[in-house]
Structure formats: C-alpha cells, structure tokens
Amino acid sequence: MALNMTRSLLFSIVLLVFACGSANSSNDTMEADRSSGRAVYNMNCALCHGRDGRAGINGAKDLTASTLTKEEMQAIVRNGRGVMAPYKNVLTAKEIDAVVEHVRTLGKAK
Ligand code: HEC
C-alpha cells in the first residue's frame, strides 16, 4: 500500500515535471521563432535560396558562397535585387537583421 502510494506520487511528479517542461519549451520555441532569423529565413527566403542557402532557384545566388558584407546583405534584403523582391515592407528592421545573421551562419555551417 505504502509502496503503491509512493509509486503513484512519483508518477505524478514525473508527469508534472514533464508537462511543465514541455509547456515551457513550446513557449520558448514560439517566442524564439517569431524573431529568430532561421524562422524568418525558412518562411521568406528558403523558397528560392533553399534551407541551406544553396538551392539557387529562380537564379538565386548560393548564399553560402556570398562574399558580401553584412551591410551589403541587409541592403539587398531591404531593397531587393533582380528577381529578388524588396523586403523592407515585409519584414521589420529587426527581422532583416536576424535573417541576415542567419544567412551569414549558412556558409560556416558546412
Ligand atoms: C524570388 C526568389 C527569391 C527570394 C524569395 C529571396 N531571394 Fe535572395 N536572391 C534571389 C536572386 C535571384 C538573387 C540574385 C540577385 C541578382 O544578383 O540579380 C538573390 C540574391 C540574394 C543575396 C545576395 C547574394 C550575393 O552574394 O550576391 C542575398 C544576401 C539574398 N538574396 C538574401 C535573401 C534573403 C535573406 C531572403 C529572404 C528575406 C531572400 N534572399 C529571398 C532570389 C530570391
């Protein structure tokens, strides 16, 4: 009897910890996703550049091979170039910063 109670108590604790843990982590993920460069990238850029930056669809440049500076990349994302549309009315300045940060990690992620 005592053993059973201990067991069910332990089980409840495990459940509680698990429930709290997953609730927290999904909140964190949503929070991070909204502003995270990767999320912005996957939604807006992967279409042409691919998730790894190399797809080159519609003549898109291989982002992993880009030699542009951060400022130049931000300008292209803001104002567009060629087939690539300007994003200054689509993304906030913060999102553009974040997405360029993400693009800059793609080359190094090989
Ligand atoms: C409609 C397809 C398309 C989408 C969507 C797109 N791009 Fe592009 N991107 C291109 C094309 C095409 C070029 C080459 C433009 C040129 O030089 O004529 C390019 C060029 C670039 C360059 C310059 C690379 C270099 O070295 O010259 C960067 C940086 C870039 N894109 C980032 C992004 C980011 C960040 C996003 C998302 C916010 C994005 N692109 C969305 C098509 C796209």
Side-chain angles (χ1 to χ4, degrees), residues 8-78:
S8 59
L9 193 66
L10 268 178
F11 186 60
S12 318
I13 290 170
V14 168
L15 266 186
L16 203 68
V17 168
F18 184 72
C20 290
S22 51
N24 276 342
S25 66
S26 71
N27 275 346
D28 287 347
T29 314
M30 278 181 65
E31 197 59 54
D33 274 353
R34 232 174 280 135
S35 55
S36 106
R38 180 185 292 144
V40 173
Y41 181 88
N42 287 343
M43 274 180 63
N44 297 282
C45 322
L47 188 68
C48 294
H49 290 287
R51 291 204 168 210
D52 64 359
R54 297 176 199 209
I57 294 160
N58 290 325
K61 292 271 172 74
D62 179 346
L63 295 179
T64 66
S66 179
T67 54
L68 297 177
T69 65
K70 189 169 151 183
E71 287 70 27
E72 287 168 330
M73 283 189 178
Q74 288 173 342
I76 289 174
V77 176
R78 268 198 302 274

Side-chain angles (χ1 to χ4, degrees), residues 72-92:
E72 287 168 330
M73 283 189 178
Q74 288 173 342
I76 289 174
V77 176
R78 268 198 302 274
N79 304 318
R81 199 165 79 189
V83 180
M84 184 173 149
Y87 280 87
K88 58 173 180 271
N89 298 323
V90 180
L91 301 174
T92 64

